[in-house]
Amino acid sequence: MINVNEILHRLIAEFQSIEQVTAIAMAGSKFSNYQDDLSDININIYYTKLIPSETRHQILMKFSESIELDCPGEVQTDHCLLRDFPIELDLCYLDIEEIEKQLITVINEACVTRYNSTRIAYFVHYSNIVFDRHQQLSTLKQKYTSQYPDLLRQKIVQIQYPLLKSNSKSYYISFERALERRDRIHISSLLNDYLKSYLDLLFAINRQFYPIEKRVIQIMEESCPLIPNLMKEHIELLFIHAGRCDKQLLSVLDIMINQVTHLLNEQYLL
């Protein structure tokens, strides 16, 4: 009886036969320690020239009757449900030259923003390569993601740390104003942005790329030795106080920011 792995092997072989496909990698929680029953399978297909939608559709029709081409998202993605298996499949198509340009920007030039950190490096570094026609993807991993540069670490601290409290446009001041107004929608948006900056700092302190996986806190607890005491509990308290528009949220923020400040001082990053 054919199993899922055999189906995936056949699907990958179909894409391998396309001349402009230079590498294929499996990624996402199914191929890490963070999968659950809701996890789908991600296949990243690196190309040197765009693959026509008709070609992609013809291949996917061999394995699925439920296909969505060019789904909305940051990269070109097809989605399908495997025939005879209750498993969803996402195929992401990536220009390998563009990926290298992004890695150069982030790793070599330390060019990051408050919203765009090191996810591209995580994406490449933790991909499970199953096909590499000219070893191009393997070379990118080795060249750009085998180390975490000091300049990148310092740049993330320089951008993210002032946003926590010291900046005039900081999350802390914004929370104060939103709590006064009892603006629940703004508080929710602020909490999402604050946690991205806070966690980005902690991953940088630990020389870890920011995950693309959904279970960010679990990944941090398992991969980062330098994290604040009761970090997870403090984050949970933020959500509780935010839901109540309770000003105790500011007290929790103070504790969390003080802890990050202590870690940064210990690492001579301030």
Side-chain angles (χ1 to χ4, degrees), residues 11-229:
L11 180 91
I12 289 168
E14 292 277 351
F15 280 98
Q16 281 180 220
S17 67
I18 301 174
E19 183 178 357
Q20 62 259 46
V21 171
T22 188
I24 301 174
M26 312 297 286
S29 53
K30 276 288 186 185
F31 297 91
S32 67
N33 295 321
Y34 309 106
Q35 76 274 11
D36 56 30
D37 292 339
L38 299 177
S39 299
D40 53 13
I41 293 175
N42 298 308
I43 300 179
N44 301 324
I45 299 173
Y46 296 82
Y47 61 80
T48 55
K49 182 180 177 182
L50 276 172
I51 306 168
S53 58
E54 182 180 349
T55 301
R56 290 157 26 217
H57 189 255
Q58 287 176 349
I59 291 174
L60 294 179
M61 283 180 61
K62 299 177 183 180
F63 305 94
S64 173
E65 295 168 356
S66 176
I67 301 169
E68 297 176 52
L69 296 182
D70 297 314
C71 300
E74 296 180 9
V75 299
Q76 185 182 50
T77 302
D78 295 337
H79 179 83
C80 68
L81 179 67
L82 288 180
R83 187 182 293 118
D84 300 326
F85 294 97
I87 294 176
E88 295 182 55
L89 193 67
D90 284 324
L91 298 98
C92 300
Y93 305 94
L94 305 153
D95 184 331
I96 197 153
E97 290 186 2
E98 180 60 31
I99 293 297
E100 182 167 17
K101 289 178 183 177
Q102 292 181 39
L103 288 170
I104 290 171
T105 299
V106 172
I107 302 298
N108 289 4
E109 301 172 2
C111 185
V112 291
T113 69
R114 63 191 290 186
Y115 303 111
N116 181 24
S117 184
T118 58
R119 290 175 183 267
I120 183 64
Y122 184 98
F123 183 82
V124 171
H125 185 70
Y126 289 99
S127 291
N128 178 22
I129 300 173
V130 295
F131 171 69
D132 203 359
R133 193 184 302 276
H134 305 295
Q135 300 304 304
Q136 198 170 353
L137 184 55
S138 299
T139 300
L140 293 186
K141 288 182 69 170
Q142 177 62 31
K143 185 175 180 180
Y144 297 108
T145 72
S146 59
Q147 294 183 335
Y148 196 110
D150 287 337
L151 181 60
L152 176 60
R153 194 174 183 228
Q154 293 161 2
K155 187 65 176 293
I156 289 174
V157 173
Q158 179 186 344
I159 291 172
Q160 301 289 24
Y161 181 69
L163 290 172
L164 300 188
K165 190 173 183 180
S166 61
N167 192 294
S168 61
K169 299 290 187 179
S170 71
Y171 297 118
Y172 192 95
I173 292 173
S174 298
F175 272 120
E176 284 183 317
R177 294 170 180 169
L179 287 166
E180 285 290 341
R181 302 188 191 101
R182 298 187 67 80
D183 187 342
R184 295 179 185 276
I185 293 176
H186 190 202
I187 291 170
S188 177
S189 176
L190 282 171
L191 184 53
N192 181 59
D193 290 341
Y194 163 78
L195 286 174
K196 287 180 180 178
S197 291
Y198 171 80
L199 295 172
D200 197 19
L201 274 170
L202 291 178
F203 278 115
I205 290 171
N206 287 274
R207 299 180 184 276
Q208 296 287 324
F209 301 123
Y210 200 106
I212 60 170
E213 257 75 57
K214 298 178 178 67
R215 299 185 180 185
V216 177
I217 302 301
Q218 182 183 346
I219 293 171
M220 175 167 285
E221 289 177 329
E222 295 178 3
S223 64
C224 298
L226 301 174
I227 60 175
N229 292 330

